[in-house]
Amino acid sequence: MLAASLSLILVSGVILYWIKPHKRAWAGWLSAMPPLAVTVWQLTAAIPFLNAGAGTDSGPKAALQNGAILVERYRWIESLGLELSFRLDGLSLLFGLIITGVGAAVALYTHYYLEDDERQGYFYLSLFAFMASMLGLVWADNLLSLFVFWEGTSVTSYLLIGYSHRSAVARGGARNAFIVTAGGGLAMIAGLILLGQQSGAYTISEIVARPGLTELDLYPAILILILLGAFTKSAQFPFHWWLPGAMAAPTPASAYLHSATMVKAGIYLLARLHPALSGHPLWLWALLIFGGATMLVGAITAVRHWDMKALLAYATVSQLGILTALLAFRSEAALLAVVIGILAHALYKGPLFLVAGIVDHATGTRDLRRLAGLRHSLPVTSTVALLATLSMAGIPPFFGFVSKEALLESFFESAEHGEIAGWIAFGAAALAGAFFVTYSLTLLWEAFLRPGSTGETESSTRESSGHVAPTRVHHAPAAPFVAAPLLLVAMGAVAPFTLPWLDAFLTSAAASISGAPVHKHAAIWHGFTPVLLTSLLAIAAGVWLFRIRSYLRRTLAQLPENLRGVVVFQNFLDGIYALGQFTARFSQGYTLATQAAIVLLAAFVPVAFALLQVAPGDLLASSNVFPGAPETVLILMTVVSAYVTVRIRTSLGAIVSLGVVGVSVTLFYVFFSAPDLALTQLLIEVLTVVLLVIVFTKLPPDIRPPMQKLKQIRNVLVALAAGAFGFFLVLFNTSEAMQAAKSISGYFLQNAVPEGHGTNVVNVILVDFRAFDTMGEITVLALAALGGYALLNAPRVNLPSWTSQRPESVSTASRQNPAAVETEPSATASPENESEK
Amino acid sequence: MAVSANLLAVPVAAPLLTAALILLFARWGGRTLIRHQIALTALALCINLAAAALLFRAAAGQGQRFVLQLGAWSAPFGITVYGDGLSATLLLMTALVALAVYPFAVATIDYHRARMGFHPLYLFLLMGVNGAFLAGDLFNLYVFFEVLLMASFVLLTVGAQPAQTNSGIRYVVLNLLASTVFLVAAGIAYGTLGTLNFAQIAERLPLASPAVRTVFAGLLLVGFGSKAAIFPLFFWLPASYHTPPPAVTALFGGLLTKVGVYTLFRSFTLFFPELLQDWQPVLLTIASATMLVGALGALAQPGIRRVLSFHIISHVGFMLMGLAVALSGNNLAFGFGLGAAIIYLCHHMIIKTALIMAGGAVELHMGSDRLASIGGLVSRQPFLAFLFFTAAISLAGVPPFSGFVSKLSLLQITLDTRHWVVSGVSVFASLLTMMNMMRLWRESFWGDYSRPSRVPSRILQSSVRQRLMLTPVAVLVLLSLALGIWGEPAFRLSMQVAQQALDRQAYIEAVSPSAQTSTLPAGLFTVPAETVSTILSKEN
């Protein structure tokens, strides 16, 4: 059923693409059906299980199935440990229900948000593909298949964020989000592989049941790599900034991906691996420090923003930080608080995003400076906003309050046990809680409650124009449009009063995180405790901060720009692109002579190393190492003419002396009794000289500029290396000490006549023994002829369609910016073809 | 169906004979003649694919080794043509790539280039590549390197646009230099080991002095490495790949460097497997540098094809990394690294070709492939956009495509052998690959629609040509998906191929060069009658 559900979602996406939903009024309702069906199915599958387990903490059924409601396995790539296995337990169920439940609402909403945008089908396709990946991610019971779905969410979210691809902001946001999350994902896969290899299994439920993983020598590496993946995905400090950047996505995508589901994937992973990896000080402090930093940075930054979505994004960052910090601990209270936090957040933050979308849609803006008095023009939407915001602020008796109480209590509990970590977390959470109240009130007041009038002195900050009229609504939202957030927020409002029924569900999720049954229960009222006092103090502080919010905004706006994550990241990218420019210059900027020199020097390296391995005497162990008189003359001739070729200033002279070099080499063949080779060589030399002379008479007379001194020295060195290369290789070949075995050439001499029926051994080799080679060489000649023919018949005009590659275009390339995008750094030059002069 | 060793001749003979036939009549007729040329070429490509598939089934699937002694001259005196799983895999991939690019080439190659022999050249290139994969003799390998070098050089320059000729010079000079290094190595082999036959070199090399082994292996590494475009010998590639028509770039991108990679695989596993351990740090350093340079350099390239072709270098680094750890492995199976490298090689050939063709289609629509001046194609060409995107994410290693299987397996082996640095480099290079792919996507498909050329291309006015262009891309993308979805059988096959390639004793026995030389008397030597008859019976 799990796999079938995934397929259902995927196929529905394709169907929604095909039916062109922007033309069908009913498409919104239709699109909500598949996720709804999966929600209902999950509930029917889970309820008997939860009932059985609820009474006794470990009911017979729970014991029977080892905590899993459902397990499905499909073979995929066993050799690599990759198995498509799904396992539905309390935690997966919690996430699965959020994904499909919020998914159904978002799907319905999307149709009205995008209205008649003709790319609506494409959006649905990406959205459903994302939903399927996300479901697969939380259901997966194999580290590698979890990664498969993890990547799926990265890619689909890239497409969703970049949906409005005409806007540079959307493109930039999509790129940043993708690079950060995909980069983290790559680090994570390394960590997951190591974890799988070290624990001996890739199946999560097996790994989790395995004790002692924290004592592995590779544990720190594994943990850091996995945390990189989880922190980037869940927007933890210092990677948190990509999430606000991703707000360029259409609002349904923001609501769904960036508050309810995808950003919690990292939290999910940490919760999933909690039994295996937690308990080590490194785990505790890494999660606590980064989670705490995230919650504070997010909460404080949220106050600063005017854009409703940006405010909500930072609020989400803060909430994610809280969840991470909670996961640092192992107490039942903390794990239960995680579960409640996840659910509560999905039920208030999702609707708030959707509300922001409705406001945007209706008024054309999300800017708090330009919004006012929406409660009159959008009454239902404002009600939704009110309920959700109060929950977000943690005002009793909303679900957010339950969540905040649970969180503070769990931290307090740790603190009471004398853990310093508990105190730190408690303080940070209380501070963050105050800011939660502040930005919730800000959002509520400025957009919905405040009367739109000229007398808005309090909120008339420097930035605002000082005059906020009640925002006009030119586009009243349709009923189903508002229904989506309304349903979600209603569930959130009811939740605190149905806790006894929810309890089984929440504790089973917490039990999956801890790996053991959880006896703690969620409650709306804990009595008059220090925690409650703190909570009330935080609310009071939040209200005070709300009153001085214009001061806060001014102060926060003065923070230096280059502290911002986006800027730092852009600098990092600029660095990488600069490195790319450098690499390209190295690879393409040199002259042919330099590149050839590098190849020659590379070839000399093995020879040099071989010389270290051999005794000098061995190389000279040949009878005819030292040249006789005729050879000495020839050698001198060759050397002198080669020197002249290099030094002479005219082309013609160089050609002639090159010919002399060739002829001298030919004479060597004569001396070493290879007349056929000598004849061939002579022919080639003569032809070369003739051809060169013909070519050079066509060229304008050249006076070669004197070479730079440095280049001269380099060339001399390269030439010496090449000479040494040849010299030592000849020694290798002639030295008897180096002969490992008898040559097979004797066979050819003996068999040319009896077997090959030819008296010229070379000919027999060419046309019989190794005729296949000759056939190849003939082909090469034919090809050369063909190439010459094609070059001589070069068309006078430019050929169609590939003409943009002329050298001119290269020179334009160097003027323009090759990277050439809104966000990419300015690159200076295209290094190609700038040499050869 | 039993496969005869004679089938080894087909991948060389079919393209050669067809090309020769076409050249015979090349002077007569106009466009009708070109149509006949196309039909003949397509036929040869299909025959080649069929032969490759048959060989693949027998050699890779059933683990057979095929040996063909040409002219019935027994090894090591004649030329041995040898085909095993590794050769057959490469042959099959080559056949697929060649057949897939051809419709694209037919649709986009202009009349002038066709008149100048584009179609026979295409076949000659295929012949050269195939011959190199089948060579069982060092000099014969050199000959096929020459064939493919010459064919690729002419394909690169046919049309003779200034940029083409300019880059052709760089291409041919650097490649000839590499060939020369390789030829010197062949000379060393003949001078010190007295033979050119692969099997006999493998047999005799352990007897040679370590200096000889160093020189021989080092020169082969430089020569083959140049062909494979490893660091720092890759200069010929970024200088040339973007100048010919996209069809040629796609073919080059799919095939050329792979010959170098294959020869590296073959020589290291057959001649000096012990160097995979002794030289491992060197090989891993080269691999890391290659991965990084390829991915980094691609970031700075201004055009689609330049990005894609520069990026080939990075992939070669990945394959070399797999080779370097071929014999290592703590908990993973023997030859895991080579198996991973082989599946990476297949993945790369398929998807790189598809991407370059898709990029070529973009170029055709826009009239340019300069990223700075194009954009917004996604709504105009949704199908092309879809293909490009899927191909790009496959290349970037996103599941469930082939890129994921290959990258995952490579990462598993490097982590298993605890090569932290090279693992880290490969992960970073993968991230850079993603950045590269996303950059291409963002610049050419997203943003406002802008096309620099106002003249609509004639090619796009024909729907047949459009389909010819995009269908092969779609087929290759599907293949990549299939390789990912059926990753288990694919990976198992590639492991089998790897283990077969690592079994050098079986290679030597299959060719058995010493059967003749050990009986070589001091005086006159004749082949025993029964050997001849067994060879003849093997051929029939």
Side-chain angles (χ1 to χ4, degrees):
Chain A
M1 275 309 282
L2 293 164
S5 305
L6 289 189
S7 320
L8 172 73
I9 301 285
L10 269 181
V11 171
S12 323
V14 177
I15 291 173
L16 281 169
Y17 179 77
W18 278 114
I19 62 167
K20 300 194 189 315
H22 58 281
K23 289 182 183 159
R24 328 250 169 215
W26 38 266
W29 293 104
L30 179 75
S31 69
M33 288 306 133
L36 206 60
V38 178
T39 316
V40 171
W41 169 76
Q42 286 180 88
L43 284 173
T44 51
I47 281 172
F49 170 80
L50 291 176
N51 284 340
T56 56
D57 280 330
S58 53
K61 210 168 175 185
L64 190 73
Q65 294 193 339
N66 197 17
I69 301 169
L70 210 62
V71 176
E72 279 178 35
R73 290 176 188 285
Y74 303 92
R75 292 144 56 93
W76 190 1
I77 310 181
E78 299 99 273
S79 315
L80 305 182
L82 174 54
E83 186 187 37
L84 213 54
S85 59
F86 301 112
R87 184 170 182 276
L88 189 64
D89 63 0
L91 185 64
S92 317
L93 181 70
L94 170 75
F95 272 92
L97 285 176
I98 291 176
I99 291 162
T100 51
V102 179
V106 165
L108 172 66
Y109 177 92
T110 298
H111 180 66
Y112 298 93
Y113 182 81
L114 291 177
E115 279 187 314
D116 43 8
D117 185 339
E118 57 177 19
R119 290 173 67 225
Q120 199 183 103
Y122 164 79
F123 188 83
Y124 268 121
L125 183 61
S126 322
L127 188 73
F128 276 62
F130 168 79
M131 197 186 293
S133 313
M134 197 63 214
L135 274 178
L137 197 163
V138 299
W139 287 345
D141 192 29
N142 177 294
L143 288 177
L144 300 178
S145 63
L146 183 142
F147 177 77
V148 168
F149 293 111
W150 185 285
E151 289 286 278
T153 61
S154 292
V155 170
T156 46
S157 75
Y158 174 75
L159 290 177
L160 286 167
I161 299 170
Y163 176 79
S164 318
H165 62 84
R166 296 233 160 96
S167 124
V169 181
R171 290 196 301 268
R175 180 194 69 161
N176 287 352
F178 184 78
I179 294 178
V180 171
T181 55
L186 284 169
M188 185 185 83
I189 183 65
L192 294 181
I193 291 174
L194 279 178
L195 178 60
Q197 285 175 350
Q198 295 290 308
S199 66
Y202 282 105
T203 308
I204 296 174
S205 47
E206 281 178 35
I207 295 171
V208 164
R210 203 152 293 191
L213 287 180
T214 47
E215 278 128 44
L216 291 173
D217 60 332
L218 287 181
Y219 172 80
I222 293 174
L223 183 66
I224 289 168
L225 290 171
I226 290 181
L227 286 186
L228 269 175
F231 283 0
T232 49
K233 196 76 163 182
S234 282
Q236 297 295 302
F237 181 82
F239 307 110
H240 62 286
W241 47 268
W242 73 258
L243 183 59
M247 287 301 138
T251 302
S254 309
Y256 192 48
L257 276 66
H258 302 130
S259 88
T261 58
M262 186 181 84
V263 288
K264 297 218 185 79
I267 305 292
Y268 169 80
L269 183 71
L270 296 180
R272 187 41 89 203
L273 298 176
H274 195 272
L277 298 181
S278 72
H280 195 280
L282 190 60
W283 168 279
L284 173 71
W285 288 104
L287 265 65
L288 186 66
I289 290 171
F290 286 101
T294 311
M295 79 171 101
L296 288 177
V297 167
I300 294 170
T301 320
V303 177
R304 184 195 129 179
H305 283 270
W306 302 104
D307 180 358
M308 282 170 83
K309 276 177 82 174
L311 186 152
L312 291 173
Y314 278 107
T316 308
V317 167
S318 178
Q319 175 70 24
L320 293 168
I322 289 177
L323 295 175
T324 307
L326 276 172
L327 282 168
F329 298 92
R330 300 190 81 176
S331 69
E332 288 186 358
L335 302 184
L336 193 64
V338 170
V339 173
I340 299 174
I342 289 168
L343 186 62
H345 182 248
L347 290 179
Y348 69 71
K349 192 62 65 55
L352 274 177
F353 268 110
L354 296 181
V355 162
I358 293 175
V359 169
D360 190 9
H361 204 78
T363 65
T365 181
R366 301 187 307 246
D367 192 334
L368 290 177
R369 281 166 296 189
R370 297 174 55 199
L371 289 167
L374 287 175
R375 73 191 151 112
H376 298 297
S377 39
L378 298 168
V380 187
T381 313
S382 302
T383 314
V384 174
L386 178 73
L387 294 175
T389 324
L390 290 181
S391 184
M392 175 159 82
I395 310 288
F398 289 95
F399 205 16
F401 173 71
V402 180
S403 157
K404 194 165 69 176
E405 286 299 286
L407 131 89
L408 285 175
E409 204 185 60
S410 77
F411 286 152
F412 191 66
E413 191 189 294
S414 305
E416 273 184 331
H417 284 91
E419 286 180 45
I420 181 126
W423 284 113
I424 295 174
F426 187 73
L431 190 57
F435 277 96
F436 268 49
V437 175
T438 308
Y439 59 70
S440 302
L441 286 179
T442 309
L443 182 67
L444 193 60
W445 172 258
E446 295 194 343
F448 297 97
L449 297 185
R450 70 171 161 184
S453 76
T454 47
E456 272 301 311
T457 44
E458 195 200 358
S459 68
S460 63
T461 55
R462 237 170 356 123
E463 293 90 337
S464 73
S465 54
H467 175 94
V468 185
T471 318
R472 252 189 315 171
V473 170
H474 23 248
H475 203 97
F481 196 18
V482 190
L486 187 64
L487 282 172
L488 290 178
V489 87
M491 279 159 67
V494 175
F497 306 105
T498 53
L499 276 182
W501 289 279
L502 278 178
D503 194 49
F505 170 63
L506 296 176
T507 46
S508 90
S512 317
I513 304 181
S514 82
V518 168
H519 305 277
K520 189 98 183 163
H521 299 286
I524 189 166
W525 181 248
H526 294 268
F528 291 101
T529 55
V531 172
L532 184 68
L533 187 67
T534 318
S535 199
L536 291 177
L537 274 177
I539 294 178
V543 174
W544 176 69
L545 286 171
F546 168 69
R547 296 200 45 99
I548 61 158
R549 65 185 182 283
S550 35
Y551 169 74
L552 279 182
R553 280 171 168 162
R554 272 201 305 278
T555 318
L556 288 172
Q558 282 161 2
L559 287 179
E561 269 291 289
N562 48 11
L563 274 183
R564 288 173 54 210
V566 191
V567 180
V568 175
F569 182 69
Q570 189 58 50
N571 288 339
F572 168 72
L573 280 190
D574 287 353
I576 290 196
Y577 277 98
L579 208 57
Q581 291 291 332
F582 171 78
T583 316
R585 267 198 302 281
F586 162 75
S587 326
Q588 293 160 295
Y590 290 139
T591 58
L592 180 56
T594 310
Q595 296 180 342
I598 291 177
V599 177
L600 280 175
L601 290 177
F604 183 66
V605 171
V607 179
F609 272 100
L611 287 176
L612 296 177
Q613 290 176 322
V614 70
D618 283 355
L619 271 189
L620 301 175
S622 167
S623 49
N624 51 358
V625 173
F626 298 101
E631 288 102 327
T632 316
V633 174
L634 272 184
I635 289 169
L636 277 178
M637 216 167 106
T638 318
V639 169
V640 167
S641 48
Y643 182 77
V644 169
T645 312
V646 178
R647 295 300 292 180
I648 204 161
R649 297 300 293 271
T650 62
S651 300
L652 202 62
I655 293 168
V656 170
S657 52
L658 192 65
V660 177
V661 176
V663 172
S664 327
V665 173
T666 309
L667 286 175
F668 274 108
Y669 291 133
V670 175
F671 276 106
F672 287 96
S673 52
D676 41 357
L677 274 184
L679 276 176
T680 318
Q681 185 73 24
L682 191 65
L683 201 63
I684 289 171
E685 292 301 338
V686 171
L687 270 177
T688 309
V689 169
V690 170
L691 282 176
L692 278 177
V693 167
I694 291 175
V695 170
F696 272 88
T697 49
K698 298 255 182 193
L699 292 177
D702 70 327
I703 292 148
R704 286 183 288 171
M707 215 180 265
Q708 288 167 359
K709 207 74 190 166
L710 209 64
K711 253 190 178 163
Q712 269 181 341
I713 294 169
R714 182 203 71 181
N715 287 355
V716 167
L717 288 178
V718 171
L720 284 178
F725 174 77
F727 175 70
F728 287 118
L729 288 177
V730 168
L731 279 192
F732 266 106
N733 257 9
T734 49
S735 150
E736 273 147 21
M738 293 291 145
Q739 311 291 320
K742 201 158 53 168
S743 170
I744 56 167
S745 23
Y747 175 87
F748 300 119
L749 282 173
Q750 290 161 350
N751 287 286
V753 177
E755 296 286 327
H757 302 288
T759 47
N760 184 332
V761 185
V762 174
N763 279 356
V764 176
I765 290 177
L766 287 181
V767 301
D768 199 343
F769 290 117
R770 300 187 66 95
F772 193 49
D773 283 346
T774 313
M775 185 195 76
E777 292 296 354
I778 290 171
T779 313
V780 174
L781 281 184
L783 280 168
L786 206 57
Y789 175 73
L791 277 178
L792 292 176
N793 280 290
R796 299 255 174 261
V797 289
N798 287 321
L799 291 174
S801 74
W802 316 119
T803 49
S804 60
Q805 302 286 352
R806 273 168 299 153
E808 297 96 275
S809 76
V810 173
S811 62
T812 23
S814 56
R815 258 180 276 120
Q816 292 173 9
N817 171 5
V821 238
E822 64 282 349
T823 41
E824 273 168 11
S826 61
T828 39
S830 159
E832 173 72 4
N833 290 349
E834 278 173 6
S835 39
E836 306 289 320
K837 280 162 196 159
Chain B
M1 190 180 115
V3 177
S4 145
N6 283 338
L7 200 62
L8 292 180
V10 177
V12 174
L16 173 66
L17 293 178
T18 318
L21 183 69
I22 290 174
L23 279 185
L24 270 185
F25 300 99
R27 290 292 296 159
W28 298 284
R31 287 175 194 274
T32 333
L33 179 82
I34 303 286
R35 273 203 285 281
H36 291 311
Q37 292 191 354
I38 291 173
L40 278 173
T41 310
L43 181 69
L45 291 172
C46 289
I47 293 173
N48 176 48
L49 178 64
L54 278 176
L55 274 174
F56 180 77
R57 215 189 57 174
Q62 299 156 7
Q64 294 183 39
R65 296 163 189 270
F66 295 101
V67 180
L68 185 60
Q69 310 285 13
L70 287 177
W73 296 110
S74 56
F77 308 115
I79 291 173
T80 304
V81 174
Y82 175 85
D84 62 359
L86 185 57
S87 323
T89 310
L90 268 299
L91 282 178
L92 181 66
M93 286 299 140
T94 301
L96 278 172
V97 166
L99 189 60
V101 176
Y102 195 60
F104 187 91
V106 168
T108 55
I109 286 300
D110 49 277
Y111 180 63
H112 174 81
R113 286 197 172 92
R115 286 279 295 161
M116 288 300 124
F118 176 83
H119 299 284
L121 282 169
Y122 196 95
L123 289 173
F124 279 129
L125 182 69
L126 180 66
M127 167 201 168
V129 173
N130 283 346
F133 292 148
L134 287 170
D137 182 284
L138 211 51
F139 188 75
N140 190 239
L141 179 64
Y142 173 77
V143 169
F144 278 105
F145 267 0
E146 291 293 285
V147 172
L148 96 89
L149 172 59
M150 208 32 144
S152 56
F153 172 65
V154 181
L155 267 178
L156 187 66
T157 51
V158 67
Q161 301 295 293
Q164 280 187 293
T165 352
N166 195 11
S167 76
I169 291 169
R170 223 171 248 252
Y171 176 84
V172 84
V173 168
L174 291 172
N175 266 302
L176 274 177
L177 209 55
S179 292
T180 312
V181 173
F182 168 39
L183 187 63
V184 169
I188 291 284
Y190 198 72
T192 58
L193 307 174
T195 186
L196 290 167
N197 186 287
F198 274 13
Q200 202 166 29
I201 292 174
E203 216 174 19
R204 288 180 171 182
L205 198 60
L207 310 174
S209 88
V212 167
R213 202 186 53 173
T214 307
V215 137
F216 182 59
L219 292 182
L220 285 190
L221 180 62
V222 171
F224 295 158
S226 280
K227 303 281 175 184
I230 64 171
F231 179 86
L233 307 168
F234 57 80
F235 300 112
W236 57 271
L237 193 151
S240 58
Y241 268 29
H242 57 279
T243 54
V248 177
T249 312
L251 191 69
F252 283 14
L255 301 185
L256 290 192
T257 51
K258 266 46 86 186
V259 180
V261 173
Y262 163 81
T263 46
L264 282 176
F265 283 8
R266 180 61 84 201
S267 53
F268 269 91
T269 56
L270 179 65
F271 298 155
F272 24 75
E274 69 279 3
L275 291 186
L276 288 178
Q277 297 296 344
D278 300 353
W279 287 12
Q280 198 175 45
V282 178
L283 292 177
L284 285 177
T285 310
I286 295 175
S288 304
T290 313
M291 283 188 278
L292 272 185
V293 163
L296 278 174
L299 280 176
Q301 303 299 314
I304 297 178
R305 270 199 285 157
R306 282 172 184 252
V307 173
L308 289 175
S309 44
F310 205 112
H311 209 280
I312 294 172
I313 298 168
S314 174
H315 296 289
V316 170
F318 276 92
M319 298 172 211
L320 186 63
M321 176 176 81
L323 173 69
V325 294
L327 288 179
S328 316
N330 292 327
N331 302 311
L332 296 171
F334 173 72
F336 193 96
L338 190 60
I342 290 171
I343 200 157
Y344 194 99
L345 179 66
C346 299
H347 145 74
H348 168 81
M349 288 177 80
I350 291 172
I351 213 65
K352 185 57 97 180
T353 314
L355 254 184
I356 297 179
M357 284 198 284
V362 173
E363 191 174 341
L364 207 61
H365 279 285
M366 296 305 199
S368 161
D369 78 335
R370 288 186 46 71
L371 291 169
S373 45
I374 63 175
L377 204 56
V378 65
S379 338
R380 306 284 176 119
Q381 290 287 328
F383 186 56
L384 174 60
F386 174 75
L387 288 179
F388 190 93
F389 190 78
T390 38
I393 63 172
S394 173
L395 191 81
V398 171
F401 293 93
S402 53
F404 175 63
V405 185
S406 36
K407 284 203 168 153
L408 176 68
S409 50
L410 277 177
L411 191 57
Q412 282 187 341
I413 181 71
T414 51
L415 287 177
D416 182 55
T417 51
R418 303 203 167 198
H419 287 112
W420 306 130
V421 175
V422 81
S423 308
V425 167
S426 76
V427 165
F428 185 60
S430 299
L431 179 65
L432 292 176
T433 309
M434 287 189 172
M435 287 171 63
N436 270 315
M437 291 304 115
M438 290 305 150
R439 174 170 164 243
L440 289 185
W441 167 259
R442 201 170 62 238
E443 300 303 315
S444 36
F445 288 93
W446 277 358
D448 287 316
Y449 182 70
S450 81
R451 66 190 291 271
S453 154
R454 245 166 255 106
V455 194
S457 171
R458 225 163 34 80
I459 295 170
L460 295 178
Q461 286 157 12
S462 143
S463 66
V464 179
R465 287 187 184 221
Q466 288 250 40
R467 243 170 278 152
L468 277 177
M469 272 165 59
L470 291 189
T471 317
V473 184
V475 170
L476 289 179
V477 168
L478 278 178
L479 254 176
S480 163
L481 184 63
L483 210 56
I485 287 179
W486 285 281
E488 176 64 21
F491 190 76
R492 237 175 240 199
L493 260 181
S494 89
M495 279 299 288
Q496 239 167 295
V497 167
Q499 283 163 358
Q500 190 193 26
L502 285 168
D503 186 358
R504 57 201 291 272
Q505 209 47 48
Y507 186 118
I508 295 171
E509 277 161 23
V511 180
S512 63
S514 312
Q516 280 75 40
T517 40
S518 59
T519 55
L520 191 74
L524 197 80
F525 169 72
T526 47
V527 185
E530 71 271 16
T531 317
V532 177
S533 60
T534 43
I535 289 164
L536 288 175
S537 66
K538 213 183 272 176
E539 281 183 27
N540 295 326

